[in-house]
Amino acid sequence: MERQAIEDLVHGWVMAAADHIRQAMDQPLTVNEKSSHKDIVTNLDQETERYLREQIQTHFPDDRIIGEEGEGQQSDSLEGTVWIIDPIDGTANFYGQGRHFAIMLGRYVDGEGQFGVIYDVMADDYVSAWQGQGVTWNGQPFEKPFDDKPLREGLIAGNGSYALHNTHRIQDFIDQALGFRIYGSAGLQVLYVLRGDLLLYFSPKLAPWDVAAGAVIAREAGLSFSQFDGSRLDLLHKGSGVIGYPSAYQQFVKYLAVEAAWDKM
């Protein structure tokens, strides 16, 4: 199937899934805890993942899938074509606020990101990128607003627990920025970096579905998105992640390298 046909197909899936979420979110939700009361899954997370899996399996029966809610067989390899799905990124926001959540899909071929989509459901922002084709925002070519900016002149965002517990003395790094924000959705924070609202976003524990779509979009936008030590994102296991503009990103990676070295002494 040609690139444009795949992009159009996925756009239709995402819009249909989002319509279902918006129509059903005012109805009583079934909510279950996963690892803790802060880590929840709703019936709409599960329904959305099942729908996306069904569409992929119908149109691309040979492709494999990794999904957050495990609503079907999970691929344990990145060989061949693999779709990585987050049906509702920011479930706590979805449940607690009714906004600030996203649908995300990444398509990988032999471990390389081919296509990524992040859709902010309530803001109606559809951001996608295809390998070598740049980024589109609501169907229009997108360029980031600036190439770089000093850390002290911009906001950064990150994992709340990591910051509150001052792991790796991260508050010393945070103090170098103009301010710090916590948004509760990895995908949306990628978009906020993309459009220059943030200079950096970091989290010590991101799952493959948290980063797969954003990694393709970041690469096509010319932004760095890696693990804390600068190595490639792990798309099969949970790992750290940091995305940012050059100065802020490089400062973060250097700072964490020094702090990690001190912690080993």
Side-chain angles (χ1 to χ4, degrees), residues 118-135:
I118 300 175
Y119 180 54
D120 184 334
V121 175
M122 303 311 289
D124 193 26
D125 278 325
Y126 186 93
V127 182
S128 65
W130 189 281
Q131 187 175 25
Q133 300 298 315
V135 177

Side-chain angles (χ1 to χ4, degrees), residues 83-100:
W83 297 77
I84 305 178
I85 304 169
D86 194 337
I88 297 181
D89 175 53
T91 300
N93 291 349
F94 164 69
Y95 180 62
Q97 300 175 328
R99 57 194 178 119
H100 300 142

